[in-house]
Amino acid sequence: ILTLHLLIRLLMSSSLHARHGSANSAFSTFSSSSVVAPPPAPEGNGPREEPAPSAFDALGRLASFPPGQTSLGRLLEVHKALWLPAGFAAMAFTGNWGMRPALMTGLFGAYGIVWVLKSNIYPDLGFYNTEKSRIKGAVDYAVKFAMIGVYFLYPYLAAANTATLHPLAAAASTLGFCLGGFFHWAGDAQRYFELKYNPNHLITDGFQSHVRHPSYLGEILMWLSLTTLSGPLNPMSWLPVAWLSMITLAVGIPEKEKSLSRYGKKFEEWRARVPALIPRLW
């Protein structure tokens, strides 16, 4: 019910986009009624356009687009809102209502719901405000939606796997998923609020004093956990991890660190001191 409510609100928001050229938060009660000034360029996500301050909503997201356009962030909100229904659909399609697909549906669906909530409380502005994140037309929307559709493999593969879920696999998958969620969601929160109240500085405290990319680390842990749950002996279970690794290692980290290099010596010292993905304990 919650997922359907989120999806309806998001679709209503997209409809208002098209008619009025403005973006409304799906959870307006979580945001301030005031409109913020344009936020600083998000770390490592490329150049950001500089529209008038009124073009931003209370969370700092670009809220005005030309007709027929939207942002990758809005697309991701719709996509993630479908994750819980996708889990139940996979169980119904295969007729498997066992522990493995049930646990997958819970974890996979929770990720989608938390993503939508997080995006309307402390969004990753790189998905909303950069030129690279712009969705230009229905074809562009459909192509990008399909590209991230690889994650829908998880609920189907779990439901299609009729082998008994070993208790150690269940424990390992839930442990890894929760630890990954901690790094992913809390790391995003630290970055959002630090840059909101102290913009244009290199973040080197908190999570970033132990690992340079806590959000990427968290996502990798979460996907490895879902691979364990869906069945690691099935090569198809590794496709989402392979896709995420390619995006992270080949695109995400290099682009982000190229942007952060503008901080010069301070960035070089931080990069030499702090690992990229394997946290240091001191």
Side-chain angles (χ1 to χ4, degrees):
I1 293 172
L2 174 60
T3 304
L4 291 174
H5 173 71
L6 293 174
L7 183 58
I8 291 170
R9 294 295 298 273
L10 289 169
L11 291 175
M12 290 174 63
S13 177
S14 299
S15 176
L16 289 175
H17 254 335
R19 293 200 305 268
H20 304 296
S22 63
N24 296 311
S25 168
F27 283 159
S28 59
T29 55
F30 290 144
S31 61
S32 168
S33 59
S34 62
V35 178
V36 301
E43 292 183 311
N45 288 289
R48 180 179 60 78
E49 294 182 341
E50 294 292 344
S54 59
F56 294 89
D57 67 11
L59 297 177
R61 298 171 298 189
L62 189 62
S64 179
F65 296 94
Q69 296 189 16
T70 186
S71 67
L72 180 60
R74 293 295 180 183
L75 180 151
L76 288 171
E77 289 180 48
V78 174
H79 195 278
K80 306 299 184 183
L82 294 172
W83 284 23
L84 183 60
F88 284 115
M91 295 171 73
F93 179 76
T94 60
N96 184 358
W97 299 89
M99 180 57 66
R100 185 190 301 273
L103 186 56
M104 173 64 76
T105 297
L107 296 179
F108 192 73
Y111 183 100
I113 292 173
V114 172
W115 180 285
V116 176
L117 292 172
K118 167 253 184 187
S119 295
N120 289 277
I121 300 173
Y122 57 95
D124 184 337
L125 298 179
F127 290 134
Y128 295 89
N129 296 353
T130 64
E131 179 61 28
K132 188 176 180 179
S133 69
R134 185 71 59 87
I135 303 292
K136 300 179 180 179
V139 174
D140 190 24
Y141 191 103
V143 169
K144 289 186 167 107
F145 195 94
M147 288 175 64
I148 56 177
V150 65
Y151 297 124
F152 287 128
L153 279 173
Y154 277 136
Y156 173 75
L157 292 174
N161 188 345
T162 58
T164 301
L165 179 64
H166 195 283
L168 290 180
S173 60
T174 51
L175 176 64
F177 190 88
C178 291
L179 289 175
F182 171 70
F183 280 100
H184 183 46
W185 306 124
D188 276 356
Q190 180 188 355
R191 180 179 60 177
Y192 176 81
F193 289 108
E194 280 213 34
L195 293 179
K196 177 178 181 180
Y197 295 108
N198 186 17
N200 298 317
H201 80 287
L202 179 65
I203 303 173
T204 60
D205 60 346
F207 283 97
Q208 277 79 5
S209 66
H210 298 279
V211 61
R212 297 203 305 274
H213 305 285
S215 297
Y216 288 147
L217 167 64
E219 278 201 288
I220 291 172
L221 286 174
M222 295 171 91
W223 296 146
L224 287 174
S225 299
L226 295 184
T227 295
T228 300
L229 186 57
S230 62
L233 298 181
N234 186 344
M236 296 288 287
S237 294
W238 292 94
L239 285 180
V241 176
W243 171 255
L244 175 66
S245 299
M246 180 184 69
I247 296 297
T248 299
L249 300 177
V251 180
I253 290 179
E255 284 192 356
K256 182 173 182 178
E257 299 213 332
K258 180 180 179 181
S259 175
L260 294 177
S261 65
R262 69 186 183 272
Y263 292 105
K265 183 179 179 181
K266 186 175 182 180
F267 166 73
E268 295 297 335
E269 292 175 346
W270 174 66
R271 184 172 65 174
R273 185 176 68 253
V274 179
L277 290 173
I278 301 177
R280 66 175 190 172
L281 301 179
W282 60 88

